[in-house]
Amino acid sequence: MRFANREESLPYYLLCEEPLADLEQRLYRVIESAVEEALDAAHVSAAQRRTLGLFIGTSSSEISVAEAVFKRELKQSRDAAPLMNSSSLGNIALWIMERFGLRGPDFTINTACTASANAVMHADALLRSGRIERALIVGFEHFNSITALGFQGLQLLTDDLMRPFDSRRNGLVLGEACAALVLEKNSRTREQFWLRGAANFCDTHSISAANPDGSTVRYTLERALHSAELAPDAISALKAHGTASLLNDEAEAAGMRQVFQRMPALCALKPRIGHTLGACGLAELALFCGAAQQGWLPATPKICATPGDLGVVLNQTPVALPPGNFMLNYFGFGGNNTSLIVSNLER
Amino acid sequence: MRRIYIQTIGEICHTVDEPLPELKDLVAAAVGQPVRRISRFMQLALIGAGRCATKQSLPKETAVYLASGRGDLEITLDVMNQLFREGQSPKPLSFVNTVSNAAAFYVAKCLGLTASSSFVCSRYFAFESALQLALVDFAAGTIDAALIGSVDCAVAPLDVHRRRLGLNADAQLAEASHWVFLSCEQTATALGEIIAAASAADLDSLQQWIAMQKLPVDGTAISCGQFLASSDFESIQKQTGLRAAFDYRAGRGYYDSQSAAAVGEYLRSAKNKMRMLLHINGDSLGRYSAMLIREAG
């Protein structure tokens, strides 16, 4: 581990040996690779690409690129101005469509940490409506200084492990991710997941935290259950947002306790991949489904094994997970709360 | 199929020169209270949405769909300049406000709305995208009422902003916030009705969609979106026989999300001889979007 950029004292460590280099191109390479893999895996033909709907979820969009360009140009001239080459959040969508021959509708959802979860929800709605036959969903988030320093300024970063819902929790670790998923209407095989229900709710308590009394989290979860036509006890496992921040974990735990008389098996994935912000909706969905498809629920070791002040605890060792209904929750800045319910039971 | 009525429209749209006009008093007038420490983008959002709500109180369960062609450029530029030019870390509130849905948050908070909210960006089809998402949610029964808006703001210095938008040095700039309040309730005061919104991969697909609408030639006006090539517009007119062009763009300075203005201008210019408006827009990839609205009465 070492500083990503010692010169600027960024509050960031790299967990790999790759230096942060080529920031003006790195984002596009990563997205291209993920999209290509998803389209190939889903066998989407050139003709099908013409009508494929594109749904992007991201928080920082191309800011990583814009920062690199601006820093380079500032070195050449103090008159340089930011965002001269890419000033629309919709540009990545255009680039993906051009690169892969997509001509369906595009939607870039920018709702902070719920962005790609909302992209999944909107894609599912358009598929169900019959407006599109297939959807490509892309969630991405790349390293950028504004985000790193912004989270540091909010005192939300830990220099230790992420410990969601643990009494010793003291913040989060930021992560990078790019995930791409193809959704198709009515083409499910036995082991594939389907979105059984979903809900989004704007929590106006605070722009940076859910209501700590849990009421708005509870409301979001209840709406998702209603949408899925399920009772709380039909949820066999839950992936929490679990940022390990003081206030948000408090709100999330309170909301979950109000909804579930008996808490389902609980996991959080941010201790494994960091908080990937706008990408976490899709990245954590993919990881969760991947593990559940293999029949187990990921564990979060090295945190308190008994419920602390928040009254909930993450499972400590991988547990067997038969087919069932699973809830995945996401909460973002701007009061954006989203809950997805996926299932690998028969429809 | 549920019918969706346009209950109110609210907007602000003005050409801009430097210094940019102050918006604080307009915000306070629109939402009934001063809102401090928010960006120009958020101010514009509040003015347009607030004006929608002053004409009719909105149900608490009104979903918010906010769209933009560029997003909140001002706050992102401020933070980037502070960090890279002046070496200062972003202030906590500035950083939190960089999330684009912050404007939707303030709209919901100031108008007392407790439903879903979304922010969608599309370079060419901003308002159209938000409208499509909302119509799908209406059709599925997920929502019964929606506040749908598009916002794009100008940022000083304007000569730099023109270059950022790829405009000529003498181009007149504008900024705007256009909102419509839609619900399934058939009221006596409804201004009109949203009949459909669609996207098309190419001109042939668009023409097929238009043909399926069976539009009365003598009762339907057609408007040309800002990104639609004039040759395409002429071709569509010729193919459909819709000769009555509705011009909502005359005298309007440049901003990205102008399609929403077509809805407002058309309904404001009632009683039109044409009962319906077909609005067509295009993009750099050869795709198209269409909106079809009908005047009330």
Side-chain angles (χ1 to χ4, degrees), chain A residues 99-340:
Chain A
R99 166 68 183 81
F100 292 98
L102 314 185
R103 293 296 183 271
D106 71 291
F107 306 87
T108 297
I109 309 298
N110 196 259
T111 53
C113 307
T114 56
S116 54
N118 287 337
V120 171
M121 201 166 74
H122 288 306
D124 182 70
L126 259 80
L127 282 165
R128 287 176 194 245
S129 76
R131 285 176 179 247
I132 52 173
E133 291 293 314
R134 283 168 200 81
L136 169 66
I137 308 166
V138 183
F140 67 88
E141 206 68 52
H142 253 209
F143 166 83
N144 64 85
S145 303
I146 291 173
T147 299
L149 291 166
F151 271 87
Q152 187 188 44
L154 288 165
Q155 298 183 307
L156 288 173
L157 298 181
T158 180
D159 55 4
D160 195 2
L161 296 172
M162 282 184 77
R163 295 188 174 92
F165 307 110
D166 188 312
S167 301
R168 296 169 297 162
R169 72 190 184 281
N170 63 356
L172 57 86
V173 176
L174 291 168
E176 292 186 311
C178 178
L181 176 74
V182 173
L183 287 185
E184 290 186 0
K185 200 177 174 184
N186 301 328
S187 64
R188 181 174 169 263
T189 59
R190 210 178 144 78
E191 66 277 7
Q192 284 177 325
F193 286 82
W194 55 290
L195 186 66
R196 181 162 191 153
N200 170 268
F201 176 70
C202 185
D203 177 354
T204 54
H205 169 75
S206 159
I207 195 165
S208 58
N211 192 330
D213 71 4
S215 57
T216 50
V217 169
R218 184 199 73 218
Y219 188 61
T220 310
L221 273 49
E222 286 176 345
R223 283 169 60 122
L225 287 165
H226 177 75
S227 150
E229 300 179 333
L230 290 174
D233 61 7
I235 299 296
S236 49
L238 187 153
K239 182 216 70 74
H241 190 56
T243 56
S245 59
L246 294 176
L247 282 178
N248 277 320
D249 274 15
E250 186 181 341
E252 186 173 11
M256 287 190 293
R257 286 202 319 269
Q258 289 166 31
V259 172
F260 296 100
Q261 285 190 330
R262 183 187 55 80
M263 194 68 75
L266 195 65
C267 79
L269 295 170
K270 291 179 179 64
R272 292 181 175 273
I273 63 169
H275 189 354
T276 60
L277 308 174
C280 80
L282 195 57
E284 294 183 8
L285 175 69
L287 288 174
F288 182 91
C289 290
Q293 211 161 32
Q294 293 175 34
W296 57 279
L297 181 71
T300 313
K302 299 182 184 174
I303 62 169
C304 187
T306 54
D309 57 321
L310 301 183
V312 295
V313 65
L314 302 177
N315 66 309
Q316 302 291 298
T317 54
V319 293
L321 200 61
N325 302 304
F326 311 110
M327 176 180 270
L328 296 95
N329 296 329
Y330 307 92
F331 308 101
F333 284 162
N336 210 280
N337 298 350
T338 296
S339 177
L340 307 178

Side-chain angles (χ1 to χ4, degrees), chain B residues 12-16 21-23 26 40 44 47 172-176 253 255:
Chain B
I12 176 171
C13 178
H14 49 233
T15 55
V16 289
E22 274 288 331
L23 299 173
L26 296 176
R40 190 170 187 83
L44 288 165
I47 295 167
Q172 177 64 63
L173 289 170
E175 56 186 7
Y255 60 97

